[in-house]
């Protein structure tokens, strides 16, 4: 007896991790024919990637490996792979030998909606459920509203010469969490 054919179509999810592998360096346009250079640390099957942005910027075609030693302009962040796939953020280098190592491999992100936050690692795997607000403030956000203005945020960090040190929280995120916690206290008081 032969198998019955199914008529349902299978959803084909693109293999984003192979399309934009970890170690890929991309250029994020920041104006005046310049780009901030960012390295992909991980890509999730659903199309979200973790990026680290370096302090040194320049023209994508003039990429120099010394960029990778220039320090970080802002904390790593999670973003959709769409700008890379659509070639708005050009690939400037691929590194097939790239492997996550400390401090990048130890990054912790916060995911979820307040007050139901949980922790994720850089590979975007859940590592801890229901973390406190103060603990959330010490980690990095898994997402921010306004991915559409990410290029402007990166450009501003480069222009201002900002520096981020691994292990430090994202100052904007920490302030936002603390404001939310304060509002919750005020609301509870009535």
């Amino acid at each position: 007896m032969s198998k019955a054919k199914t008529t349902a179509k299978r959803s084909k999810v693109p293999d984003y991790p192979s399309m934009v592998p970890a170690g890929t360096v991309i250029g994020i346009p920041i104006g005046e024919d310049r780009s901030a250079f960012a390295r992909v640390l991980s890509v999730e099957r659903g199309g979200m990637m973790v990026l680290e942005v370096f302090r040194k910027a320049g023209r994508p075609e003039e990429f120099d490996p010394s960029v990778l030693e220039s320090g970080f302009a802002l904390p790593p962040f999670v973003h959709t792979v769409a700008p890379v796939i659509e070639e708005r953020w050009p690939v400037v280098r691929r590194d097939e030998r790239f492997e996550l190592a400390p401090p990048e491999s130890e990054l912790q992100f916060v995911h979820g909606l307040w007050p139901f936050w949980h922790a994720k690692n850089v590979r975007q795997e859940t590592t801890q459920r229901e973390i406190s607000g103060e603990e959330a403030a010490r980690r990095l956000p898994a997402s921010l509203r306004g991915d559409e203005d990410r290029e402007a945020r990166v450009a501003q960090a480069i222009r201002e010469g900002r520096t981020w040190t691994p292990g430090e929280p994202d100052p904007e995120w920490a302030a936002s969490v603390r404001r939310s916690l304060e509002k919750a206290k005020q609301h509870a008081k009535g």
Side-chain angles (χ1 to χ4, degrees), residues 29-125:
I30 58 173
E32 302 172 17
D33 292 331
R34 293 182 66 220
S35 290
F37 296 109
R39 177 169 42 202
V40 176
L41 297 178
S42 69
V43 178
E44 181 228 3
R45 269 188 54 81
M48 300 303 287
M49 62 184 169
V50 177
L51 296 173
E52 61 184 356
V53 178
F54 300 99
R55 293 187 70 217
K56 195 172 182 181
R59 296 171 53 95
E61 61 272 9
E62 297 170 358
F63 174 79
D64 178 333
S66 68
V67 165
L68 305 177
E69 305 299 322
S70 67
F72 306 103
L74 61 162
F77 58 88
V78 179
H79 198 283
T80 175
V81 297
V84 180
I85 302 296
E86 295 165 0
E87 299 179 0
R88 289 182 286 132
W89 293 1
V91 171
V92 296
R93 177 183 179 186
R94 292 195 187 268
D95 183 359
E96 282 80 29
R97 295 186 318 259
F98 175 79
E99 288 186 29
L100 279 173
E104 289 90 350
S105 63
E106 297 166 351
L107 291 171
Q108 290 285 310
F109 294 85
V110 175
H111 184 76
L113 298 173
W114 179 86
F116 305 106
W117 287 315
H118 56 270
K120 286 188 164 191
N121 64 19
V122 70
R123 290 178 181 86
Q124 302 178 55
E125 303 161 326

Side-chain angles (χ1 to χ4, degrees), residues 107-152:
L107 291 171
Q108 290 285 310
F109 294 85
V110 175
H111 184 76
L113 298 173
W114 179 86
F116 305 106
W117 287 315
H118 56 270
K120 286 188 164 191
N121 64 19
V122 70
R123 290 178 181 86
Q124 302 178 55
E125 303 161 326
T126 300
T127 57
Q128 184 179 352
R129 299 209 179 274
E130 295 184 29
I131 61 176
S132 70
E134 277 305 312
E135 192 174 346
R138 290 190 302 270
R139 298 177 187 233
L140 300 170
S143 64
L144 287 175
R145 281 168 287 181
D147 268 350
E148 63 277 356
D149 71 344
R150 183 61 74 181
E151 290 174 15

